[in-house]
């Protein structure tokens, strides 16, 4: 695929011999990062970043219980988090690529999601949920201008994923309009 530009700084427009492709840059990057995090987790080598100052986060009672249950798995996914009181935690390290300002929101969302699904969640689902959350928060955002080389890189990386058509949450990554569909729409055939 050859990128030709962006639509509203959110979608990459690309072409090939077969037609036109519209790629959601956020979910495409999310898919790339999701598979990278799962691979790194399997190899026990998740990239992380130390925070300048520990981030102290207040948890609800249910979030605190979930945190106790999944803290080992969070640690294996690049977090260094310690209890810091009855319902407070101190985050010292977070997975690479997540903005410090996003860490608290991500952990709250993750703990709430796991709490709702806790009964039926096995370890593999938990790993996927954590990886999806990390990927989502670290991914390129919508309304973000991308240089051509960044678009090319993202399309190359997406082509190497196992499941390039959907993000970890099941949303479509791309739309394809064949040359034939375009010709029909313009009544050329």
């Amino acid at each position: 695929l050859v990128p030709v530009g962006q639509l509203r700084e959110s979608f990459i427009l690309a072409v090939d011999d077969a037609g036109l492709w519209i790629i959601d840059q956020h979910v495409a990057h999310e898919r790339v990062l999701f598979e990278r995090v799962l691979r790194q987790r399997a190899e026990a080598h998740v990239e992380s970043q130390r925070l300048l100052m520990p981030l102290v986060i207040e948890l609800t009672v249910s979030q605190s219980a979930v945190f106790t249950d999944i803290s080992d798995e969070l640690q294996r996914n690049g977090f260094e988090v310690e209890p810091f009181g009855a319902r407070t935690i101190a985050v010292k390290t977070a997975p690479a690529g997540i903005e410090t300002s996003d860490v608290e929101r991500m952990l709250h969302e993750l703990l709430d999601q796991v709490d709702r699904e806790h009964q039926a969640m096995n370890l593999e689902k938990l790993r996927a949920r954590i990886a999806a959350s990390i990927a989502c928060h670290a991914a390129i955002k919508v309304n973000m201008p991308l240089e051509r080389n960044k678009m090319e890189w993202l399309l190359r990386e997406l082509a190497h994923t196992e499941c390039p058509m959907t993000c970890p949450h099941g949303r479509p990554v791309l739309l394809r309009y064949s040359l034939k569909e375009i010709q029909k729409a313009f009544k050329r055939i």
Side-chain angles (χ1 to χ4, degrees):
L1 293 178
V2 178
V4 293
Q6 277 183 291
L7 176 63
R8 300 197 83 161
E9 297 178 333
S10 299
F11 301 94
I12 299 171
L13 303 176
V15 295
D16 67 3
D17 291 340
L20 172 69
W21 298 75
I22 303 172
I23 300 98
D24 183 320
Q25 66 192 35
H26 172 72
V27 294
H29 196 213
E30 190 175 347
R31 168 51 67 182
V32 169
L33 293 175
F34 173 72
E35 291 189 16
R36 181 181 301 154
V37 169
L38 286 179
R39 201 170 38 255
Q40 289 176 350
R41 169 63 182 87
E43 297 167 356
H45 182 69
V46 175
E47 294 176 19
S48 59
Q49 58 194 3
R50 182 156 298 281
L51 305 181
L52 244 36
M53 300 274 297
L55 180 62
V56 178
I57 302 173
E58 184 80 23
L59 303 177
T60 65
V61 173
S62 61
Q63 287 174 336
S64 186
V66 171
F67 172 76
T68 300
D69 289 347
I70 71 167
S71 61
D72 288 343
E73 192 57 35
L74 287 173
Q75 190 259 336
R76 288 184 195 101
N77 280 278
F79 286 97
E80 183 184 341
V81 184
E82 297 175 350
F84 194 72
R87 291 184 322 173
T88 307
I89 57 173
V91 181
K92 296 180 175 183
T93 304
I98 298 177
E99 297 291 326
T100 304
S101 59
D102 221 11
V103 171
E104 181 173 1
R105 185 168 55 101
M106 185 196 124
L107 282 172
H108 280 296
E109 288 173 6
L110 179 63
L111 293 171
D112 287 340
Q113 286 174 344
V114 171
D115 185 39
R116 285 191 301 274
E117 300 170 4
H118 196 69
Q119 304 291 338
M121 187 167 288
N122 62 28
L123 187 57
E124 191 169 320
K125 274 187 172 179
L126 176 61
R127 286 181 185 151
R129 173 68 66 207
I130 292 170
S133 187
I134 291 169
C136 184
H137 287 271
I140 294 167
K141 306 298 183 234
V142 295
N143 301 318
M144 180 182 283
L146 300 178
E147 298 286 329
R148 182 180 178 88
N149 62 343
K150 185 72 170 188
M151 288 187 267
E152 290 169 348
W153 170 85
L154 182 55
L155 296 176
R156 256 191 330 273
E157 291 297 310
L158 181 63
H160 290 92
T161 62
E162 291 179 26
C163 187
M165 302 304 280
T166 61
C167 81
H169 303 103
R171 290 179 29 212
V173 171
L174 51 87
L175 300 173
R176 177 183 168 268
Y177 296 97
S178 70
L179 183 56
K180 191 172 188 173
E181 290 171 307
I182 295 169
Q183 289 171 328
K184 278 185 180 179
F186 283 105
K187 301 196 183 311
R188 297 262 180 208
I189 57 172

